[in-house]
Amino acid sequence: MTAPALDQATAEAPPPAARRARRSLTAAGLAAGAGVVAACSLPPWGFWPLGMAGVAGLALLLAGRPARGRALVGLGFGLGFFAVGLRWLAEFSAPGCVVVIVMEAGMLAAGMVLVPPGRGRWLALPGALLLVEAVRGAVPFGGLPMAGLALGQAGSPLGGAAHVGGPLLVLALVAAGGVAVAAAASRRWGAALVAGGVVAAGIAIGPVAPHGGGGPVIHVAAVQGGGRRGFTRVEGEDPADVLARHLAATTGVRPPVDLVLWPEDVIDVEGSVTENPEGRQLAAVASAAGATLVAGVVEGAGPERFRNEAVVWSPDGTVVDRYDKAHRVPFGEYVPARGLFEHLGDLSPVPRDAIAGRRPGLLHTPAGDLGVMVSYEVFFAHQARGAVRAGGRLLLVPTNASSYPTTQVPTQQVASARLRAIETGRDLVQAAPTGYSAVIDHRGRVLARSVLGRQAVLQRSVTLRSGRTLYVRFGDGPVLVLAVVAVAGGWALERSARGARRPEHVVEGDGHQLTLFEQGP
């Protein structure tokens, strides 16, 4: 090439900074696509191998990038993933949906900075994803574990590992599977074999690890009153109509029955339910069925507070126990820092704050000691674990997903219930006013599930199980320790690999020296 031509080509070429920016944006876009792929493993789509495929794309895109580039890749992946997994938030507030998606993606971006760009990423990436998920499940305002990657694995071969290490271990296996795929695509056969071996071990350990023991069998009925769905359609609905539909549905309960479960928030009264006509109606339902009745009750406690409870009526019609929901929905059941947020938006849909319960979800009933998670609580593994450690032998989930017009949240809730059953080794019964109601066994198999919007009664025999799984005994601690070790080990491997690189050959000329190394990322 002649000198003038070379000068012209140099002048027309974009500056290095522009090329780097363009490459970074391209990588972020590809990462967003990988995030969308991973999100399609979640309910209601639920094609579980896509979780691994998405993580594989993330692992490949992190290669060789500086910290800022890895953060940008993580941000892109998070935006793609949560834009799909949390899109239901837009049904309530489009600006709020955007804020939450960006915030959750930002956590993932920060987590990817913990992942080294070279060989060490094969080890560190699963650990970093686990740490991000642990943070997501705790902050802000108690965390938001909805749209977690583990939810897509409730019915997969990886889901059985939940009773060993909970949802974090399931996520670790998804990440290890993604690493195995990415390493194989990069022809890093050693890393691929090790990661694949971890996945195989996780699948194998599920059936053989302790999952509790059997016990007496009882007959249960989950009542679904049916009705309209969607926030705008149910907002302001007369509580008397909701109650009437569930009273009508309960006439379909057939003996023998030991326990009847009604959904969350089907009774809405001021003051104690026992001092209202609705309480007397439920006492009559329990007496007529000759069974224990557990129903979701909202009790007004003054102009600024209310209680969201699961209340137990015995077969003779007396109230024998109650549980106050402990894990409230932020901006749904209470407004954190209300004095601040009232200047930023309309808080009229949440005029009062729920009073948070302070004890584990355990109900002592004539039908047995029952663990209970009210609605949103089913997304938090520690709620089920605490209920079983307190003595719960069967898990109940009275819930209300009527505000959601699509199937996304109800299906994610069923997936969460399946994981809670596996983790604790307990059968589980869920009742919702318009669905999904479900009966799930201790291995996470759905024995019965209702149709959204329709009136239904699900009757099945379930077992009051005993014993403790490894997850109930030890919780998330061991898996989190392994996550920290994996991240630290990844960086140690990275430093070791860099120190071990040896020059392949040296090119000298015009007083300059260039050393080429054997190893790439």
Side-chain angles (χ1 to χ4, degrees):
M1 180 179 292
T2 63
L6 180 61
D7 291 341
Q8 182 180 358
T10 303
E12 293 175 353
R19 290 198 300 270
R20 287 196 297 271
R22 188 168 57 194
R23 287 196 296 266
S24 295
L25 290 176
T26 299
L30 292 172
V36 170
V37 169
C40 288
S41 70
L42 300 175
W45 310 283
F47 188 49
W48 64 267
L50 292 180
M52 296 182 182
V55 173
L58 176 63
L60 291 171
L61 289 165
L62 292 170
R65 300 189 183 280
R68 182 180 298 178
R70 299 196 300 278
L72 189 59
V73 166
L75 181 65
F77 184 91
L79 290 174
F81 182 81
F82 293 115
V84 176
L86 295 175
R87 66 184 178 90
W88 55 268
L89 281 167
E91 299 161 7
F92 301 92
S93 169
C97 178
V98 172
V99 169
V100 172
I101 288 170
V102 171
M103 179 182 64
E104 299 288 305
M107 295 183 191
L108 196 56
M112 292 306 97
V113 177
L114 300 176
V115 181
R119 290 182 177 180
R121 75 184 186 283
W122 306 127
L123 180 58
L125 178 57
L129 288 174
L130 263 65
L131 295 177
V132 169
E133 191 66 13
V135 172
R136 282 189 64 238
V139 296
F141 313 128
L144 182 65
M146 301 172 77
L149 260 178
L151 292 181
Q153 308 299 317
S156 83
L158 306 182
H163 68 262
V164 177
L168 291 181
L169 181 58
V170 176
L171 172 59
L173 296 178
V174 175
V179 164
V181 173
S186 302
R187 298 187 179 182
R188 300 292 185 183
W189 305 115
L193 287 173
V194 171
V198 169
V199 175
I203 294 173
I205 199 173
V208 299
H211 51 80
V217 173
I218 64 171
H219 304 287
V220 301
V223 176
Q224 176 173 309
R228 298 176 297 179
R229 298 183 54 78
F231 181 73
T232 58
R233 301 188 68 186
V234 302
E235 182 69 7
E237 187 175 26
D238 189 344
D241 293 338
V242 178
L243 174 59
R245 288 197 295 269
H246 285 81
L247 288 171
T250 304
T251 61
V253 174
R254 295 289 178 259
V257 62
D258 302 296
L259 172 67
V260 177
L261 177 63
W262 274 30
E264 175 194 30
D265 192 16
V266 290
I267 308 296
D268 195 338
V269 296
E270 290 297 321
S272 174
V273 68
T274 59
E275 299 172 1
N276 281 269
E278 292 86 346
R280 292 188 287 275
Q281 286 179 291
L282 267 68
V285 168
S287 297
T292 298
L293 171 65
V294 178
V297 177
V298 170
E299 294 181 339
E304 297 181 351
R305 311 292 294 276
F306 71 94
R307 299 180 184 278
N308 189 352
E309 303 173 300
V311 181
V312 183
W313 281 264
S314 71
D316 65 7
T318 59
V319 171
V320 295
D321 204 354
R322 60 178 66 207
Y323 163 72
D324 288 297
K325 185 176 182 178
H327 207 122
R328 302 167 296 169
V329 180
F331 305 100
E333 292 174 313
Y334 81 107
V335 178
R338 183 180 284 271
L340 169 64
F341 284 105
E342 67 183 2
H343 298 295
L344 303 177
D346 179 18
L347 301 182
S348 58
V350 194
R352 298 192 287 187
D353 291 338
I355 299 171
R358 301 296 181 189
R359 65 181 181 88
L362 180 67
L363 295 172
H364 298 290
T365 81
D369 289 339
L370 311 176
V372 61
M373 298 167 284
V374 178
S375 191
Y376 185 56
E377 292 181 323
V378 76
F379 288 100
F380 295 86
H382 68 85
Q383 293 289 146
R385 180 171 175 260
V388 171
R389 289 178 65 87
R393 304 186 67 183
L394 171 72
L395 293 179
L396 304 181
V397 184
T399 186
N400 188 344
S402 300
S403 298
Y404 308 100
T406 69
T407 62
Q408 188 171 25
V409 170
T411 52
Q412 286 196 19
Q413 192 168 51
V414 171
S416 295
R418 296 177 72 180
L419 287 176
R420 302 297 86 86
I422 298 169
E423 292 157 7
T424 58
R426 295 296 188 266
D427 293 351
L428 181 148
V429 184
Q430 175 171 301
T434 60
Y436 288 113
S437 301
V439 180
I440 299 167
D441 75 5
H442 67 282
R443 295 189 180 276
R445 295 173 294 200
V446 179
L447 305 180
R449 191 174 81 170
S450 66
V451 176
L452 289 180
R454 296 184 185 177
Q455 190 173 104
V457 174
L458 304 182
Q459 290 196 232
R460 287 292 188 277
S461 297
V462 296
T463 302
L464 298 178
R465 294 179 57 80
S466 61
R468 294 184 176 183
T469 64
L470 292 177
Y471 181 68
V472 169
R473 290 181 182 275
F474 301 110
D476 294 318
V479 180
L480 287 174
V481 169
L482 289 176
V484 173
V485 170
V487 172
W491 281 103
L493 178 62
E494 188 84 356
R495 288 191 295 269
S496 174
R498 288 177 179 176
R501 289 187 302 178
R502 302 191 183 278
E504 187 178 56
H505 59 276
V506 176
V507 178
E508 295 181 350
D510 298 328
H512 300 285
Q513 177 173 295
L514 174 63
T515 304
L516 303 180
F517 292 90
E518 298 175 350
Q519 179 185 323

